Amino acid sequence: MNRVFVCSCFGITEQQVKKHAEDGACTPRQIASACKAGTDCGSCVRRIQALLGRDACPRRELADRGKPVLSEIADLDEAA
């Protein structure tokens, strides 16, 4: 398997970033919280942004509408 590293400081691969995105991380800051990528030298942040793209993301959609993100996500989780 060919590993493409996004963050060489912490050894984070593209596949790991994509998995965190599938699990709900929509921003580089959320990726950093999940795996530390982008928190040391910062050279990978643009690559992380590119991997995240502008795909549908519940948190981003709420933020774009000016809604409080964390409380709305909790409400969505409770409703499920």
Side-chain angles (χ1 to χ4, degrees):
M1 184 169 161
N2 188 13
R3 289 185 183 186
V4 178
F5 287 95
V6 173
C7 176
S8 48
C9 294
F10 294 105
I12 305 300
T13 64
E14 279 188 7
Q15 195 62 31
Q16 288 171 297
V17 170
K18 290 176 183 178
K19 174 68 174 125
H20 289 301
E22 288 171 11
D23 292 342
C26 302
T27 66
R29 184 170 289 176
Q30 291 168 348
I31 294 292
S33 293
C35 64
K36 294 170 114 179
T39 62
D40 194 26
C41 77
S43 67
C44 60
V45 173
R46 287 183 188 244
R47 179 72 181 131
I48 292 168
Q49 288 172 324
L51 287 171
L52 294 175
R54 292 295 295 173
D55 294 333
C57 174
R59 289 185 186 116
R60 184 180 297 128
E61 290 169 10
L62 290 169
D64 288 347
R65 290 185 296 188
K67 304 263 184 178
V69 175
L70 295 177
S71 64
E72 293 288 332
I73 293 298
D75 292 345
L76 291 174
D77 288 343
E78 290 172 9

